[in-house]
Amino acid sequence: MTVRSLALALTMGAAFATSAEAATELQWWHAMNGANNEVVEELAKEFNASQGDYVIKPVFKGTYPETLNAGIAAFRAKQTPAIIQVFDVGTGVMMGAGGAIKPVAEVLEQGGYTFDKSQYLPGIVNYYSKPDGTMLSFPYNSSSPILYYNKDTFQKAGLDAENPPKTWDEVFAAARKIKESGAAPCGYTSTWLTWIHLENFAAWNNVSYASGENGLAGGKVELAIDAPIYADHFQAIADLAKEGVFRYGGRTSEAKQLFLSGECGILTESSGGLGDVVKSGMNYGIGQLPYDTKGNNAPQNTTPGGASLWVFAGKSDDEYKGIAQFFHFLSQTDIQSRLHQKSGYLPVTLEAYEATKKSGFYEKNPGRETPITQMMGKPPTENSKGVRLVNLPQVRDIENEEFEAMLNGSQDAKTALAKAKQRGDAAIAAATR
């Protein structure tokens, strides 16, 4: 190598090193696994390649509850990431954190972007905003619970594979037929019993989950989950479990594997689970979340699940500028349309929804618009705006403990719900003192 070429190489190496050092790293803690983790990695790489000032570094932190707990521990240790993904039930926890977080609306405006609430899907942005309309977190992967079913299993059981059950009575009847016919070892399973069968069951059937508009109105909050409509619903599930028709997979999304493996013919799960269903190669169908015929003019509307991206306070102006740039990147119509179509999560913006509709995607993929129409079908009532408790993750744990005792035959549904209410009310009271 000549002296001149050596000098040129050293100069170029120094330039690359300076460029790499100049890029500000922004850690993004998340809870996405499987196909959804691939989407996270893909988005980060695409953003990083689009500019040279910032590097988004995704860091998987486990399940939704584990990721929230990691964030709380990081805050206490004063070692917070730039961005953390928090599931819907952690919203009250984050809102109660006050100075620990910086509202996304402020981050965007500080970064030079105009925040326009009207650009976002109303049902989603309202859930993650303060009463005055200030958006607190970026709704990265909002979802709605829907019904998935194995079309091949339906055909083997003599069920109509093009007509999914619409009510819970129809689901339970179809599940029994699947089991009794031998089409599959299990008829029905469900992820997230608390989110789907309590919180969204309340909203979809327009019945109260808790007082004070499910906690959104503030004041003293008491659970209403011991009402007869809940007891009847969970007793039906307990009976199916005793018959071997229903199989319990776990407290979060574990039951999805029972469906993907072909063990169970019907699954209620987040629309965000679609990526793994598609990846499995299954001949699947999608139906709306079943409703209870004893509900109040049901179906009403579902409430957002999934998660949003929160920004911690105490970061530098440069970091906030990078975070704003990343959120602006995620808000682009082509990005949102792709994220929605690939993952099953709802598009954050109205433009992305309209672009997807205009492309003919929903006509080519029946059922894929269902999560959106469920949420936007009717104006929300005081029962269907969502649930906001400062300790909802703790309340869910209590509810899950009682459901698990019910499913193993230790107690009936009425007892399980009465105990969950009593323990949950005490936990809420203790958290709000």
Side-chain angles (χ1 to χ4, degrees), residues 232-244:
D232 290 346
H233 179 70
F234 276 94
Q235 190 57 54
I237 293 176
D239 292 342
L240 289 175
K242 189 175 181 180
E243 298 168 24

Side-chain angles (χ1 to χ4, degrees), residues 3-335:
V3 172
R4 182 172 179 175
S5 61
L6 176 61
L8 180 61
L10 290 172
T11 301
M12 291 180 66
F16 284 128
T18 301
S19 175
E21 289 170 6
T24 301
E25 181 179 290
L26 302 169
Q27 285 201 3
W28 171 15
W29 289 9
H30 69 90
M32 298 282 89
N33 58 19
N36 290 327
N37 179 63
E38 295 172 10
V39 173
V40 167
E41 294 289 342
E42 181 182 321
L43 288 172
K45 288 178 182 177
E46 193 169 338
F47 172 75
N48 294 342
S50 71
Q51 45 72 53
D53 296 326
Y54 305 98
V55 173
I56 291 290
K57 183 179 179 182
V59 180
F60 176 68
K61 285 291 179 176
T63 64
Y64 278 140
E66 288 168 347
T67 302
L68 175 60
N69 289 335
I72 294 171
F75 173 72
R76 290 172 179 164
K78 298 182 180 180
Q79 295 180 334
T80 57
I83 304 166
I84 184 170
Q85 181 188 36
V86 177
F87 63 152
D88 57 309
V89 296
T91 301
V93 176
M94 299 301 285
M95 289 180 71
I101 60 102
K102 188 177 180 70
V104 161
E106 293 180 16
V107 174
L108 289 170
E109 289 169 1
Q110 185 175 327
Y113 300 100
T114 302
F115 170 67
D116 183 359
K117 182 179 176 181
S118 67
Q119 295 178 354
Y120 299 83
L121 288 181
I124 296 174
V125 73
N126 289 340
Y127 189 83
Y128 294 114
S129 298
K130 292 196 294 189
D132 66 5
T134 301
M135 190 161 75
L136 294 170
S137 59
F138 185 86
Y140 166 69
N141 60 310
S142 290
S143 62
S144 182
I146 56 176
L147 181 139
Y148 298 88
Y149 64 103
N150 188 319
K151 287 189 173 184
D152 293 339
T153 299
F154 263 50
Q155 290 172 348
K156 289 177 184 176
L159 296 166
D160 186 348
E162 302 305 321
N163 185 27
K166 296 177 177 60
T167 69
W168 282 114
D169 287 342
E170 290 174 357
V171 169
F172 299 154
R176 281 194 170 95
K177 192 166 185 180
I178 289 170
K179 170 73 172 176
E180 292 167 359
S181 68
C186 146
Y188 168 61
T189 189
S190 180
T191 62
W192 301 99
L193 291 188
T194 50
W195 177 56
I196 295 175
H197 294 270
L198 281 180
E199 296 155 28
N200 264 286
F201 181 91
W204 196 228
N205 293 293
N206 195 19
V207 294
S208 176
Y209 171 86
S211 61
E213 297 183 19
N214 300 335
L216 272 76
K220 183 180 179 182
V221 179
E222 294 183 354
L223 298 174
I225 59 175
D226 59 341
I229 191 170
Y230 295 105
D232 290 346
H233 179 70
F234 276 94
Q235 190 57 54
I237 293 176
D239 292 342
L240 289 175
K242 189 175 181 180
E243 298 168 24
V245 175
F246 173 84
R247 289 195 184 173
Y248 178 62
R251 296 183 178 185
T252 60
S253 60
E254 300 89 347
K256 180 168 58 176
Q257 295 305 317
L258 296 175
F259 178 71
L260 296 178
S261 67
E263 191 170 340
C264 297
I266 305 172
L267 168 75
T268 44
E269 151 72 332
S270 162
S271 59
L274 180 69
D276 286 327
V277 174
V278 172
K279 196 174 180 180
S280 73
M282 177 188 295
N283 180 22
Y284 72 94
I286 291 175
Q288 69 175 23
L289 181 68
Y291 66 92
D292 195 307
T293 55
K294 299 187 291 296
N296 296 320
N297 297 316
Q300 171 58 42
N301 66 276
T302 55
T303 59
S308 62
L309 305 182
W310 293 77
V311 180
F312 278 105
K315 302 301 177 182
S316 68
D317 290 344
D318 181 53
E319 287 174 302
Y320 286 132
K321 184 178 179 182
I323 294 168
Q325 193 170 329
F326 180 54
F327 286 162
H328 177 70
F329 165 82
L330 290 178
S331 297
Q332 294 178 72
T333 299
D334 61 330
I335 296 293

Side-chain angles (χ1 to χ4, degrees), residues 119-122 124 331-341 345-363 367-377:
Q119 295 178 354
Y120 299 83
L121 288 181
I124 296 174
S331 297
Q332 294 178 72
T333 299
D334 61 330
I335 296 293
Q336 280 297 313
S337 297
R338 180 168 21 118
L339 181 63
H340 165 53
Q341 293 174 29
Y345 286 112
L346 279 61
V348 171
T349 63
L350 288 165
E351 278 191 16
Y353 174 41
E354 293 300 331
T356 300
K357 186 184 291 188
K358 189 176 180 180
S359 72
F361 178 80
Y362 298 128
E363 294 175 7
R368 293 294 299 274
E369 193 177 11
T370 298
I372 303 173
T373 56
Q374 283 185 170
M375 194 174 294
M376 298 176 63

